Amino acid sequence: MKKLSLVCSFLFMAFCSAKVVAQEAASQRAQNIFIELGGQGLTLTANYDSRFTNKRDGLGGRIGVGHISSDGSSVTTVPVSLNYLLGKERRYFEIGLGATYATATVDGSFLDFGGDDDGDDSGSTLIGTMSFAYRLQPMDSGFSFRAGITPIFGKDFFIPYYGGISLGYTF
């Protein structure tokens, strides 16, 4: 009888601790590292995204950096934004608002970097960004995917149908 009581106690404690571990894993905040083409980073960027609370959804933020150059022209971007995830389990709708700092040396750019009037557009600017995206992120850790519309705007332009796609890892 003493052995049966000991075994039952052990099984009960093991079950309770497994349940606590499972609840802790489900309540950990989602953190993502990802590469994005287009989107709020404008070019090809490496990014970090995290929730602000110990939940998989809700309010969070992201920061990234990107650089691209070709034929003497180059663009460096630093996207920073707040976002909110709506959904459950592993499928989410992302709504975000942010800004991207861009510095460039670009000939004939449609973005105004404050350059001179001969078409050489060198300098820096701050570009407003929005995000309306589908996000697939695992419950624990693993491959993540994002795709959506990311309108961009500045003092003299608005591009409503700019988009982006990203692949990454959630932990």
Side-chain angles (χ1 to χ4, degrees):
M1 184 68 168
K2 202 173 188 182
K3 286 184 180 180
L4 180 63
S5 177
L6 185 62
V7 169
C8 287
S9 296
F10 177 75
L11 289 174
F12 178 74
M13 288 189 309
F15 174 75
C16 289
S17 65
K19 189 174 181 180
V20 168
V21 168
Q23 287 175 344
E24 286 176 1
S27 67
Q28 288 180 340
R29 68 183 176 147
Q31 299 180 70
N32 295 286
I33 53 173
F34 59 94
I35 301 295
E36 182 176 46
L37 179 61
Q40 291 177 299
L42 307 178
T43 61
L44 181 64
T45 56
N47 300 272
Y48 170 76
D49 178 282
S50 179
R51 301 299 91 211
F52 294 147
T53 62
N54 283 339
K55 293 171 42 177
R56 304 305 278 179
D57 60 355
L59 187 63
R62 76 176 263 185
I63 187 164
V65 65
H67 180 80
I68 191 167
S69 68
S70 176
D71 298 330
S73 296
S74 67
V75 177
T76 301
T77 61
V78 180
V80 177
S81 69
L82 290 174
N83 54 49
Y84 194 87
L85 297 184
L86 300 163
K88 57 184 174 180
E89 294 186 14
R90 53 186 206 142
R91 294 177 179 89
Y92 298 94
F93 179 69
E94 175 184 315
I95 301 169
L97 183 64
T100 299
Y101 173 78
T103 183
T105 302
V106 181
D107 291 333
S109 172
F110 68 92
L111 302 174
D112 183 14
F113 288 99
D116 54 27
D117 292 332
D118 66 0
D120 180 26
D121 227 356
S122 299
S124 61
T125 190
L126 194 61
I127 299 166
T129 63
M130 294 181 272
S131 175
F132 304 98
Y134 170 77
R135 182 187 291 202
L136 179 65
Q137 80 182 10
M139 292 299 295
D140 297 323
S141 63
F143 170 78
S144 62
F145 170 81
R146 291 173 60 245
I149 301 296
T150 54
I152 60 174
F153 55 93
K155 65 179 182 176
D156 297 328
F157 69 93
F158 176 67
I159 302 173
Y161 299 114
Y162 195 72
I165 188 167
S166 69
L167 300 173
Y169 184 80
T170 299
F171 55 97

